[in-house]
Amino acid sequence: MDMKQLQTFLTASETLSFTQTAQRLDYAQSSITAQIKTLEQELGVILFERLGKRIVLTEEGKHLQQYAKKMLKLDHDMKKAMSNEQAHVVLKVGAQESQCVYRLPSILQQFQQAHPHVKIIFKPVHTTDIGKELLQEGKLDVAFITDTYQETAMLQRERLIQEQLVFVSASKKIRQPLSAQQLSIETMLLTEMGCSYRNHLEAQLQQEGVLPSQMIEFASIEAIKQCVMAGLGITFLPKMVVEKELESGNLVELPSTIDLAPIYTDIAWHKDKHMHAYLQDFIAIAKLSYEAFGNEKRA
């Protein structure tokens, strides 16, 4: 039994004529007869009495008529609801604050021009492990992972850009390249615990047996920059977030001898993820945009 057969039966129950039913539904009359016969065989009842050229609903047919109306209405309501769902699609994106503030706005602008019906929700992704977990649990559709490279089974990853991380301060009082030992007498203004590049720096300092004299933790990169410009200490951030301040002279990049492994930003999604057209477009726009960011950095 399918909706087409029920619609044919309901129309025939109203017209009480297979000929008129065929005309109304644009079927051959033989198709109407075959559909009704299939329904009767499936249900094991007679739905119409054939009285010469006339047809009359049986009691069983009248009962089915009531159910058929309910089932067709339910089918209509379901399709309407699903259509409305398609009009309110949600794309769940994960990224660090630095990517959200300094890189993604232009990507989102391009994407929303092409897909204005898609709502975007952001979730924080500070490390590879967090991104991997959220993607595998289906809590994210796509993630920008900024971290040292790690193997991530079940994820499809594509390299976007190598990040340039820098130490910056408000003055050039440190004349020699910054070493791990020098950091032991400095006040460090850092992002929250769990941030990939903070983890990376702390792991290297611990390996060298060094700990800064004071560490102040902030939830906001902008707050860190303002406090560094006020002379409260030095910080370690992606260069993209301090470029304007470096150009204006409000912040100064400090050369360093600390050997840190490179950090990359990759775009990632689950290998088994159903790739909707809008998701494919988002990834394509992101890849082109990051390619442009890379060209700007090299220029």
Side-chain angles (χ1 to χ4, degrees), residues 29-129:
Q29 185 171 334
S30 58
S31 174
I32 302 298
T33 303
Q35 289 183 54
I36 297 300
K37 185 175 181 181
T38 299
L39 262 180
E40 290 178 329
Q41 290 174 343
E42 184 173 344
L43 296 173
V45 297
I46 300 298
L47 299 174
F48 292 98
E49 287 275 17
R50 281 74 168 176
L51 304 176
K53 294 183 178 180
R54 297 176 60 246
I55 59 171
V56 179
L57 269 177
T58 62
E59 287 302 313
E60 292 82 2
K62 291 176 182 178
H63 289 153
L64 179 60
Q65 188 181 42
Q66 297 174 21
Y67 286 111
K69 288 178 179 179
K70 293 177 182 179
M71 293 174 71
L72 288 169
K73 184 179 185 305
L74 185 61
D75 180 63
H76 171 77
D77 292 346
M78 177 188 69
K79 289 176 179 177
K80 183 178 179 180
M82 295 305 296
S83 176
N84 288 338
E85 286 293 324
Q86 290 297 315
H88 297 89
V89 177
V90 175
L91 176 64
K92 296 166 289 186
V93 180
Q96 282 189 350
E97 179 197 0
S98 57
Q99 303 297 326
C100 289
V101 175
Y102 297 93
R103 294 237 176 92
L104 295 190
S106 62
I107 293 172
L108 296 181
Q109 183 182 34
Q110 294 178 62
F111 177 75
Q112 290 200 318
Q113 286 176 351
H115 301 276
H117 65 288
V118 178
K119 178 182 177 182
I120 299 177
I121 294 177
F122 278 103
K123 293 180 182 291
V125 170
H126 298 302
T127 64
T128 300
D129 289 340

Side-chain angles (χ1 to χ4, degrees), residues 2 8 13 17 27 58 67 96 142 149 152 154 170 181 239 251 281:
D2 59 30
T8 296
S13 71
S17 167
Y27 289 140
T58 62
Y67 286 111
Q96 282 189 350
V142 64
Y149 180 75
T152 49
M154 298 306 296
Q181 289 301 320
K239 190 170 184 177
L251 290 176
D281 282 353

Side-chain angles (χ1 to χ4, degrees), residues 30-259:
S30 58
S31 174
I32 302 298
T33 303
Q35 289 183 54
I36 297 300
K37 185 175 181 181
T38 299
L39 262 180
E40 290 178 329
Q41 290 174 343
E42 184 173 344
L43 296 173
V45 297
I46 300 298
L47 299 174
F48 292 98
E49 287 275 17
R50 281 74 168 176
L51 304 176
K53 294 183 178 180
R54 297 176 60 246
I55 59 171
V56 179
L57 269 177
T58 62
E59 287 302 313
E60 292 82 2
K62 291 176 182 178
H63 289 153
L64 179 60
Q65 188 181 42
Q66 297 174 21
Y67 286 111
K69 288 178 179 179
K70 293 177 182 179
M71 293 174 71
L72 288 169
K73 184 179 185 305
L74 185 61
D75 180 63
H76 171 77
D77 292 346
M78 177 188 69
K79 289 176 179 177
K80 183 178 179 180
M82 295 305 296
S83 176
N84 288 338
E85 286 293 324
Q86 290 297 315
H88 297 89
V89 177
V90 175
L91 176 64
K92 296 166 289 186
V93 180
Q96 282 189 350
E97 179 197 0
S98 57
Q99 303 297 326
C100 289
V101 175
Y102 297 93
R103 294 237 176 92
L104 295 190
S106 62
I107 293 172
L108 296 181
Q109 183 182 34
Q110 294 178 62
F111 177 75
Q112 290 200 318
Q113 286 176 351
H115 301 276
H117 65 288
V118 178
K119 178 182 177 182
I120 299 177
I121 294 177
F122 278 103
K123 293 180 182 291
V125 170
H126 298 302
T127 64
T128 300
D129 289 340
I130 293 173
K132 179 180 177 181
E133 179 180 352
L134 293 176
L135 288 168
Q136 290 185 333
E137 291 178 354
K139 294 179 180 178
L140 287 178
D141 298 309
V142 64
F144 295 88
I145 297 176
T146 302
D147 206 342
T148 53
Y149 180 75
Q150 300 174 40
E151 291 292 336
T152 49
M154 298 306 296
L155 296 190
Q156 177 71 37
R157 288 178 66 166
E158 295 192 23
R159 176 65 39 81
L160 294 176
I161 199 169
Q162 180 174 342
E163 299 293 352
Q164 188 175 354
L165 294 160
V166 293
F167 292 94
V168 295
S169 74
S171 70
K172 297 182 179 179
K173 66 177 182 178
I174 302 175
R175 298 182 181 276
Q176 298 298 320
L178 189 64
S179 66
Q181 289 301 320
Q182 284 176 295
L183 279 184
S184 66
I185 60 173
E186 295 291 337
T187 297
M188 289 292 298
L189 281 59
L190 297 173
T191 49
E192 292 180 293
M193 289 185 64
C195 174
S196 60
Y197 43 87
R198 173 178 170 173
N199 291 349
H200 190 37
L201 174 63
E202 288 183 331
Q204 183 62 35
L205 294 180
Q206 288 174 6
Q207 187 175 328
E208 299 189 31
V210 172
L211 189 66
S213 61
Q214 186 176 5
M215 295 173 61
I216 305 176
E217 182 178 302
F218 293 82
S220 163
I221 289 175
E222 288 302 314
I224 292 175
K225 291 195 295 183
Q226 291 299 320
C227 289
V228 172
M229 285 189 284
L232 297 183
I234 66 176
T235 190
F236 179 66
L237 292 170
K239 190 170 184 177
M240 66 170 173
V241 311
V242 293
E243 283 180 330
K244 290 183 178 179
E245 291 79 8
L246 293 175
E247 290 174 2
S248 67
N250 290 324
L251 290 176
V252 177
E253 181 179 346
L254 304 175
S256 170
T257 60
I258 301 173
D259 186 23

Side-chain angles (χ1 to χ4, degrees), residues 4-23:
K4 182 179 74 172
Q5 291 174 340
L6 287 178
Q7 182 62 66
T8 296
F9 163 75
L10 199 57
T11 304
S13 71
E14 294 168 354
T15 64
L16 295 178
S17 167
F18 288 172
T19 301
Q20 291 182 36
T21 299
Q23 291 172 349

